[in-house]
Amino acid sequence: MGFASKTELRPLDDGTIRRRAAQMLTEHIVRGNFAPGERLTEQKLAKALNVSRGPLREAIRELAEIGLLVSVPYKGLYVRSVTRKDLEELYSLRTALESFAFERCWEKRTEEAILDLRQRSDELKATIDADSDGRRAIEQELRLHSWCFELSQHSLLMKSWQSMRVNVYFYFWLHQQAHHRQGPLRRSHDKYVDLACGDSLPRMLAHLKEHMRQGLETTIEALSGELDK
């Protein structure tokens, strides 16, 4: 005797396939499976991802809009290259947005929120200690920096952060490659977390700017021979 399903199963629509294709392409790019500047073709991507050309084109258009892919008329589709200007722009915008997030969330910090931030830091350290999962380290570092945006309760600011996350993920991956390690240094966020839980917003903002500036400079220096002009 068969069992009747209470849930009607439906074929995946083009929108669902597009989202999955965009997610898979993003993962391949930010994990370095495609080299910066590498030329891609729709035919090969459709075959590799096992998707039809229509949803794939929409996924490609989505990634081109956020800057992970570059479509050059009459020449083709390319994985984004990285320039010093790209990194400097990401640093400046990220610093501005995260500073604003701390200004907005400062008075909203509670004991529960502070405990949450410290737990995020501990989880990142555990992954760094394991030294085996660079992708998880990136995701946890992003989650650590997401804390102030989430706590800010500012919907437009949160949308701005979400739209920038892919590029920050790509930057963190570059940072790992530059320093040949699976994640940041173990103590690199200790002062950040302590000041975020402290009583001085000006000190937090000053450290935030310096924290990001140092990361930018060391990454540019380490990748100096690989960055496009």
Side-chain angles (χ1 to χ4, degrees):
M1 180 177 178
F3 291 92
S5 173
K6 295 182 179 180
T7 302
E8 182 181 356
L9 299 179
R10 299 178 181 178
L12 297 177
D13 58 29
D14 282 356
T16 301
I17 296 172
R18 173 191 60 77
R19 287 190 293 272
R20 289 179 60 186
Q23 181 181 17
M24 287 187 288
L25 274 173
T26 298
E27 289 182 358
H28 279 298
I29 293 169
V30 300
R31 295 175 68 182
N33 295 335
F34 297 132
E38 180 178 346
R39 188 175 187 273
L40 305 175
T41 66
E42 284 188 9
Q43 182 178 4
K44 289 183 178 180
L45 288 175
K47 183 177 180 180
L49 301 177
N50 194 27
V51 298
S52 59
R53 301 283 281 274
L56 176 62
R57 289 194 184 102
E58 292 299 317
I60 288 171
R61 185 176 297 112
E62 179 180 329
L63 267 60
E65 287 177 355
I66 63 176
L68 287 182
L69 292 175
V70 178
S71 181
V72 182
Y74 310 111
K75 291 187 177 181
L77 180 70
Y78 298 85
V79 178
R80 66 172 292 177
S81 296
V82 182
T83 68
R84 182 187 181 103
K85 184 173 182 290
D86 291 334
L87 295 178
E88 289 173 344
E89 287 186 354
L90 180 60
Y91 154 78
S92 61
L93 181 58
R94 186 178 159 217
T95 301
L97 290 181
E98 197 157 335
S99 296
F100 181 51
F102 269 105
E103 291 172 357
R104 293 286 303 189
C105 81
W106 198 253
E107 299 302 325
K108 298 181 176 70
R109 296 173 305 154
T110 62
E111 290 185 6
E112 182 180 4
I114 287 173
L115 177 61
D116 178 35
L117 178 61
R118 293 198 180 278
Q119 287 177 336
R120 296 185 192 202
S121 177
D122 290 342
E123 289 168 2
L124 174 58
K125 286 182 177 180
T127 299
I128 293 170
D129 290 343
D131 193 31
S132 61
D133 195 340
R135 181 183 177 189
R136 182 170 177 78
I138 289 175
E139 291 170 349
Q140 289 176 330
E141 190 172 1
L142 279 170
R143 186 167 178 265
L144 179 71
H145 284 280
S146 291
W147 177 82
C148 58
F149 291 95
E150 296 167 15
L151 196 60
S152 74
Q153 300 176 9
H154 191 299
S155 58
L156 289 179
L157 178 61
M158 192 64 191
K159 286 180 181 178
S160 297
W161 166 244
Q162 292 290 353
S163 68
M164 190 171 58
R165 277 177 62 103
V166 170
N167 288 288
V168 178
Y169 192 123
F170 190 66
Y171 165 75
F172 284 166
W173 176 80
L174 286 174
H175 197 270
Q176 286 189 4
Q177 303 309 302
H179 298 282
H180 308 288
R181 61 174 181 253
Q182 302 279 2
L185 290 173
R186 192 181 193 280
R187 297 180 58 84
S188 61
H189 290 85
D190 285 359
K191 188 173 182 180
Y192 175 98
V193 171
D194 286 343
L195 288 173
C197 299
D199 57 6
S200 175
L201 176 59
R203 287 182 63 197
M204 178 68 236
L205 297 179
H207 171 72
L208 176 64
K209 185 175 181 179
E210 179 64 14
H211 174 79
M212 293 192 185
R213 184 191 63 78
Q214 287 181 351
L216 172 71
E217 289 181 352
T218 55
T219 300
I220 288 177
E221 181 180 358
L223 296 173
S224 59
E226 303 174 31
L227 294 176
D228 290 344
K229 302 298 182 182

